[in-house]
Amino acid sequence: MTTYLDLHCHSVASDDSRATVLQYLKWINVLRKRGFTIDGIVLTEHRKFDYDIDYSQLAAEYGVLVLKGAELDTCFGHMLVYNVTKGLGKDIDFGDVKMDGRDLIQAAKHHGGIVVPAHPGRFGIGLVEYMEQGVEFPDLAIVERVNAGSKPEENERAETLCDNGGYLGTAGSDAHLASHIGRAVTEFKATVRTEPELVEALMSGEFRPIYIEETAAATIG
């Protein structure tokens, strides 16, 4: 079963977002009525992870999967972390904006998670900037290829990075407003219902980044 997930979005729990999770879920149902397919979202709040917040009841009410991750600042740009455990939270200071991104990649892997650099083609702060300076990331396999909040030329840089470096690519809206949710999603060839299953699906390599418009054809088909 194919699963369509927006792997990058921010609610009001992030300091620069104005959207609530409820608003996102309502808007996703608007998108569905328009013929688009989106099965769920992954909340990637900035520099934090709240272990105690449970969205399962709200998710069930609206029929939308809600998973949680984080977007952390590192000395090599922003990085999305999936399957955040309490063990990882003890080993890594999520508020440290100067942490070594390579250490984060290794720590997440140790605790059963996975790291995907966000908007790597973004000018000034993206991973491409550091790679062009000669920094190497030997443990990295996946980057965010399509970020709906980035400029076209920034996504082009991310695409070039993937094509030339052999990296797999994900997609996310990077939504901070309700109407931006789902603009780009990652299509998985597996059923994903939990954070550990998300990690498994990413590690399988059986996924691709697409824009929401492409899911309309999938719905019709």
Side-chain angles (χ1 to χ4, degrees), residues 88-110:
L88 178 60
K90 290 180 180 179
D91 285 355
I92 296 292
D93 178 3
F94 280 26
D96 180 8
V97 299
K98 296 182 179 180
M99 75 173 78
D100 191 315
R102 294 166 298 189
D103 292 341
L104 175 61
I105 293 171
Q106 292 179 343
K109 182 179 180 180
H110 175 74

Side-chain angles (χ1 to χ4, degrees), residues 165-179:
Y167 297 106
L168 298 174
T170 63
S173 66
D174 200 358
H176 290 68
L177 298 173
S179 61

Side-chain angles (χ1 to χ4, degrees), residues 2-220:
T2 304
T3 306
Y4 295 91
L5 298 177
D6 183 341
L7 296 184
H8 185 175
C9 61
H10 303 275
S11 76
V12 289
S14 290
D15 52 10
D16 57 351
S17 173
R18 294 187 293 174
T20 66
V21 175
L22 175 60
Q23 288 172 331
Y24 279 146
L25 303 193
K26 287 183 175 179
W27 189 257
I28 285 171
N29 279 290
V30 170
L31 292 174
R32 288 172 172 174
K33 290 178 180 178
R34 294 177 180 176
F36 302 118
T37 303
I38 176 169
D39 297 302
I41 62 175
V42 183
L43 297 166
T44 51
E45 310 296 6
H46 288 295
R47 300 174 297 279
K48 66 192 299 185
F49 186 88
D50 194 329
Y51 297 93
D52 298 324
I53 294 182
D54 183 0
Y55 295 106
S56 57
Q57 184 173 346
L58 189 64
E61 180 180 350
Y62 285 87
V64 180
L65 179 67
V66 180
L67 302 179
K68 296 189 297 180
E71 181 176 2
L72 305 184
D73 294 15
T74 80
C75 62
F76 298 120
H78 296 183
M79 296 194 176
L80 302 168
V81 187
Y82 302 113
N83 195 32
V84 176
T85 64
K86 290 186 177 180
L88 178 60
K90 290 180 180 179
D91 285 355
I92 296 292
D93 178 3
F94 280 26
D96 180 8
V97 299
K98 296 182 179 180
M99 75 173 78
D100 191 315
R102 294 166 298 189
D103 292 341
L104 175 61
I105 293 171
Q106 292 179 343
K109 182 179 180 180
H110 175 74
H111 289 283
I114 195 167
V115 169
V116 176
H119 39 68
R122 193 162 292 179
F123 294 107
I125 63 170
L127 192 74
V128 171
E129 302 282 338
Y130 301 99
M131 285 187 160
E132 289 180 346
Q133 296 171 21
V135 181
E136 297 182 352
F137 299 86
D139 298 317
L140 186 65
I142 307 170
V143 302
E144 186 180 55
R145 182 174 182 133
V146 176
N147 179 294
S150 291
K151 299 176 182 178
E153 56 268 31
E154 292 174 333
N155 279 325
E156 289 175 4
R157 294 178 86 203
E159 291 170 3
T160 298
L161 171 64
C162 289
D163 293 341
N164 293 344
Y167 297 106
L168 298 174
T170 63
S173 66
D174 200 358
H176 290 68
L177 298 173
S179 61
H180 290 176
I181 196 70
R183 291 188 301 173
V185 297
T186 304
E187 178 191 70
F188 293 96
K189 291 185 178 180
T191 299
V192 178
R193 303 303 300 176
T194 65
E195 284 89 358
E197 287 181 355
L198 173 58
V199 173
E200 290 179 10
L202 287 168
M203 292 181 67
S204 76
E206 296 293 316
F207 61 87
R208 69 186 182 111
I210 61 175
Y211 287 98
I212 189 68
E213 290 77 11
E214 295 180 65
T215 71
T219 302
I220 295 173

